[in-house]
Amino acid sequence: KVALLLAAKHDPTRVKTVIAVDPVDEVPTEFTNACSRSSNLSLECTQNNARVQITFASDTPGRPFGIGSAHNARAIHEANKEWIEPLVVHTGASHMAYTDNGGGLPGLLIRGGTREANEDARRQLHALIRRLIQ
């Protein structure tokens, strides 16, 4: 989410590539706010030739012990899909799949996904990063 905030709010003219790895838009909500009294940030800034790529780990548990669907990567993408690259979905992977050891306290934080899908998501992310920063 920090990379998305940089692109949307702080210095959009200097941002060329953003890779948001299964971002979560909570505390505070910036892109997926359903409240009519608060507006959402937009990634419209990508019209300055910035590329924004979001990944989504499809097997991440929902609430109460995971990430709510109203604020997950798919929801962020849906709110900004006209401005950013197509969503990269890692089917069968969980939110912590992209880390070296499954996140802090291995196996205890946001469990989910199969071992194979999590490893595949991590490999695909490495390839995506290499492709986007060349």
Side-chain angles (χ1 to χ4, degrees):
K1 177 178 170 182
V2 172
L4 295 174
L5 285 170
L6 176 69
K9 192 172 182 176
H10 297 290
D11 201 356
T13 60
R14 295 183 61 196
V15 174
K16 295 297 176 205
T17 302
V18 174
I19 304 169
V21 181
D22 202 29
V24 179
D25 188 29
E26 293 180 323
V27 191
T29 303
E30 302 280 1
F31 298 98
T32 59
N33 192 344
C35 176
S36 61
R37 291 175 288 160
S38 299
S39 61
N40 286 315
L41 291 177
S42 169
L43 292 170
E44 184 177 353
C45 61
T46 60
Q47 289 186 344
N48 296 325
N49 298 320
R51 293 181 66 182
V52 176
Q53 183 70 70
I54 295 177
T55 69
F56 173 62
S58 72
D59 208 37
T60 300
R63 289 284 175 229
F65 301 109
I67 299 166
S69 62
H71 304 292
N72 66 15
R74 188 181 296 279
I76 297 169
H77 185 270
E78 187 62 32
N80 288 279
K81 65 184 176 186
E82 64 209 74
W83 312 114
I84 60 179
E85 303 288 323
L87 185 66
V88 172
V89 178
H90 292 127
T91 304
S94 184
H95 182 68
M96 302 307 270
Y98 307 103
T99 63
D100 288 340
N101 64 0
L105 301 174
L108 297 177
L109 296 178
I110 311 180
R111 295 185 212 189
T114 66
R115 189 173 136 250
E116 296 80 18
N118 288 339
E119 288 174 1
D120 192 44
R122 188 165 169 248
R123 279 192 299 273
Q124 288 179 29
L125 176 64
H126 288 186
L128 176 68
I129 292 168
R130 285 196 243 2
R131 183 172 53 84
L132 291 176
I133 64 172
Q134 288 183 359

